[in-house]
Amino acid sequence: MTSRTPFLIIVFALIVAGISSIYYRHVEMGVPLTAGEQIDIWQIEAEIEFTGKNEPVNAKLTLPKDPKFELVDEFTASPAYGVHVFREEDKSEVVWSKRQVQGKQTLYYQASYKHTLNPEKELAPIEDVVAETWSEPYQSSAQTLLNNAMEKSGNQQFLVLQILNVIKSDDQNVALLLSRYSKTEIFVQLMQMAKIPAMMVRGLVLEDSRRNQQLIPLLKVYINNDWQMFDVENGELGNELPILVWQQDSPSLLDVVGGRNSKIVFSISHSTQSALQEANSSATEGDFFDFGLYHLPIDEQNLFKGILLLPIGALVVVFLRVLIGLKCSGTFMPILIATSFIQTELVNGVVGFLLIVSIGLIIRSYLSHLNLLLVSRISAVVIVVIGIIVLFTVIAFRMGLTEALTITFFPMIIMAWTIERMSILWEEEGGKEVLIQGGGSLIVAVIAYLMMDNYLIRHWAFNFLGVHALIMAAILLMGQYTGYRLLELRRFKPLAED
């Protein structure tokens, strides 16, 4: 193993960890890649009415179990009733119970659903298909329809389509079957006679602002290793409106014991909700792979929102210094100045930075003639910086320039060290080098500010911590770069002209 191999392994591990974390947060937890993304929320209200017979009542409502939808929240409105929600693997239901009930009763069940991010594939049927034998002449008519459809189809998929067409036709056999059975019942019978798994389900069409809705009969057929749904009664299903499968493998939707004249209607309302808020609220606490920060107290969250921007600034500094060759005064000073710009806004920050550094350099040049010790000189510069900031703040307040009050957000110690470093640079290499490094620092700080203040980058930095692993990998790779900087290529300009 060469000495470079461990380095490459570390970089590769950081890249894998970063991408895996981003993938898990987005695909498994639903954290959106862009800020402000919205998701559809369907609020459904089931209104149950019945008349009590002056005896104990148990009203049982089967709850939907559709892998394509995920329950967000639910509640019931049923005064004086005991309410129990039972959720089992194959069936879910809510039961209202009361000792003595008389007269008209109204119960409400409300639930909110959203589309499941990664719906589980429904299991394949494990039992052999056994068709019920209808009485004659209906059985013979069904067999005739099936035989005709099979002659005009080459596989199961086309057989299903052919039977759908036959049921819609004015065939005499179809007319005979419709005199006793519904289209859905005929379709299921023909599927089962053809040994194709099929089942009747009932679903709710989700359309905004709909009231007094009923479940519609649907048919699920297992074709090509997948369950496909058909609306035999009304034709093909449209893709514009989602359908929540409410009743499947359940003998009844509503059972009321101790009451009569029961009925149920549904009301539907559509709304949108922040995808980020929903993803974080539905995250399971204690999830080992959940490295989100939304479980922390608000103060710590706000603190990390600022801290996690620093790697962005560090990446900008490394890129501009290592690959571009831009000279800066200090390594971290541009990052901290950029952080101050976020508080002061760019124009106010640049003006404040130039004022503090310019006046500080003038005063620092006087201090250099006093031959002070380093500690005393630095301390004096710190006090000078504080004095400059206080002075400008007071003057700006008296002049009504409230925007200039944000100058207090500048890091005073860093500004003092910047003035000290530039002053020494001026004495050793002249004013031109001060302008180059000072200007370079300001350019880096402005670019870092533009990156750190970008809404999308702030969203990624806080919600996808894997990004910082990728930044770390990029910084390590750039740290190994030993070639020419981009600005250094200017020295080869005469050769190119020759």
Side-chain angles (χ1 to χ4, degrees):
M1 181 178 290
T2 64
S3 59
R4 190 173 173 78
T5 302
F7 169 77
L8 295 177
I9 292 175
I10 293 174
V11 171
F12 179 74
L14 286 171
I15 294 175
V16 171
I19 294 177
S20 300
S21 175
I22 293 172
Y23 176 84
Y24 183 82
R25 290 275 295 167
H26 175 60
V27 176
E28 299 296 331
M29 300 185 62
V31 178
L33 294 176
T34 56
E37 189 173 327
Q38 300 286 313
I39 60 171
D40 293 323
I41 298 292
W42 295 98
Q43 296 174 313
I44 303 170
E45 180 185 85
E47 180 180 347
I48 301 169
E49 289 185 358
F50 64 91
T51 303
K53 298 188 294 185
N54 197 23
E55 58 185 61
V57 163
N58 288 318
K60 181 174 64 178
L61 172 64
T62 299
L63 299 181
K65 190 174 180 63
D66 191 335
K68 295 181 180 178
F69 288 87
E70 180 180 342
L71 178 66
V72 178
D73 58 25
E74 62 180 349
F75 65 91
T76 61
S78 47
Y81 275 84
V83 182
H84 306 277
V85 178
F86 300 96
R87 296 200 178 277
E88 299 176 357
E89 185 176 356
D90 57 343
K91 185 180 180 182
S92 299
E93 59 187 19
V94 56
V95 179
W96 291 268
S97 182
K98 191 175 181 181
R99 178 66 62 182
Q100 203 73 18
V101 176
Q102 185 176 12
K104 182 179 179 181
Q105 304 291 311
T106 304
L107 307 175
Y108 294 95
Y109 170 81
Q110 291 188 4
S112 298
Y113 286 87
K114 65 177 182 179
H115 288 284
T116 305
L117 286 175
N118 301 299
E120 297 180 357
K121 190 174 181 179
E122 294 185 73
L123 298 176
I126 56 176
E127 299 179 356
D128 294 333
V129 179
V130 178
E132 178 187 356
T133 302
W134 285 351
S135 61
E136 295 295 344
Y138 305 105
Q139 181 66 27
S140 298
S141 297
Q143 189 63 54
T144 301
L145 290 176
L146 178 61
N147 294 337
N148 294 335
M150 294 188 73
E151 290 178 358
K152 300 178 181 178
S153 57
N155 54 32
Q156 288 187 345
Q157 182 175 3
F158 286 105
L159 176 61
V160 171
L161 297 177
Q162 184 61 34
I163 291 178
L164 282 173
N165 292 332
V166 168
I167 291 179
K168 297 175 186 176
S169 68
D170 53 357
D171 188 282
Q172 292 183 350
N173 291 306
V174 175
L176 174 63
L177 294 175
L178 287 176
S179 65
R180 182 164 182 175
Y181 302 100
S182 67
K183 291 182 179 178
T184 304
E185 291 173 326
I186 297 171
F187 194 94
V188 171
Q189 177 68 9
L190 295 178
M191 289 292 99
Q192 293 178 345
M193 291 171 62
K195 303 300 181 185
I196 299 176
M199 70 173 77
M200 288 182 60
V201 300
R202 299 178 70 190
L204 185 65
V205 179
L206 301 180
E207 186 175 2
D208 188 25
S209 304
R210 303 294 292 178
R211 300 174 65 247
N212 298 323
Q213 297 298 296
Q214 299 288 338
L215 301 185
I216 61 172
L218 299 168
L219 186 68
K220 294 178 74 174
V221 182
Y222 193 74
I223 310 173
N224 298 330
N225 299 322
D226 191 19
W227 287 100
Q228 298 184 22
M229 196 154 56
F230 299 91
D231 185 356
V232 183
E233 302 291 338
N234 302 313
E236 296 183 356
L237 289 175
N239 296 323
E240 64 276 7
L241 294 177
I243 295 180
L244 172 66
V245 175
W246 194 291
Q247 188 180 2
Q248 176 176 317
D249 296 331
S250 176
S252 63
L253 172 65
L254 176 65
D255 282 334
V256 179
V257 178
R260 64 177 184 275
N261 300 328
S262 62
K263 69 174 184 177
I264 179 170
V265 294
F266 297 90
S267 299
I268 305 160
S269 175
H270 172 259
S271 62
T272 59
Q273 185 173 333
S274 167
L276 177 61
Q277 180 183 355
E278 176 54 31
N280 289 307
S281 62
S282 60
T284 304
E285 192 169 355
D287 186 352
F288 180 78
F289 296 102
D290 178 15
F291 292 99
L293 300 174
Y294 282 92
H295 298 304
L296 298 177
I298 299 297
D299 286 344
E300 278 68 23
Q301 290 184 34
N302 293 332
L303 181 62
F304 276 111
K305 284 180 180 176
I307 292 176
L308 291 175
L309 292 177
L310 298 182
I312 306 296
L315 178 65
V316 173
V317 170
V318 173
F319 176 78
L320 292 177
R321 293 194 61 169
V322 175
L323 298 184
I324 304 300
L326 205 61
K327 291 184 177 180
C328 301
S329 177
T331 303
F332 301 107
M333 188 271 280
I335 303 175
L336 298 176
I337 297 300
T339 306
S340 303
F341 286 170
I342 294 176
Q343 303 294 331
T344 63
E345 300 295 338
L346 183 58
V347 175
N348 297 331
V350 171
V351 172
F353 175 80
L354 294 176
L355 283 174
I356 294 173
V357 173
S358 300
I359 297 176
L361 283 175
I362 294 173
I363 298 176
R364 168 63 178 78
S365 65
Y366 171 74
L367 293 177
S368 63
H369 297 293
L370 301 180
N371 295 324
L372 300 175
L373 297 175
L374 177 62
V375 176
S376 298
R377 191 172 67 237
I378 295 296
S379 301
V381 174
V382 170
I383 296 173
V384 167
V385 170
I386 295 174
I388 294 171
I389 291 176
V390 171
L391 180 63
F392 276 108
T393 302
V394 172
I395 293 175
F397 180 74
R398 290 184 177 180
M399 296 178 65
L401 302 174
T402 55
E403 296 83 1
L405 300 180
T406 56
I407 197 174
T408 54
F409 286 104
F410 277 108
M412 300 178 186
I413 303 299
I414 297 298
M415 295 298 293
W417 270 109
T418 301
I419 293 172
E420 175 65 17
R421 187 178 295 110
M422 287 186 177
S423 179
I424 295 175
L425 187 65
W426 194 310
E427 294 171 357
E428 295 178 349
E429 301 186 28
K432 181 181 178 182
E433 191 65 22
V434 171
L435 290 177
I436 292 175
Q437 294 195 17
S441 299
L442 192 57
I443 291 173
V444 173
V446 171
I447 295 176
Y449 159 77
L450 295 176
M451 296 288 289
M452 295 163 68
D453 197 47
N454 183 274
Y455 199 54
L456 180 61
I457 292 177
R458 295 168 73 95
H459 172 76
W460 274 68
F462 186 74
N463 293 287
F464 296 98
L465 297 184
V467 168
H468 300 285
L470 299 179
I471 292 175
M472 183 69 175
I475 289 176
L476 291 178
L477 288 174
M478 286 190 286
Q480 293 276 309
Y481 181 71
T482 57
Y484 289 109
R485 276 66 170 169
L486 182 62
L487 296 180
E488 291 177 340
L489 297 179
R490 291 179 300 178
R491 69 176 68 176
F492 300 105
K493 185 178 179 182
L495 297 177
E497 292 174 351
D498 293 341

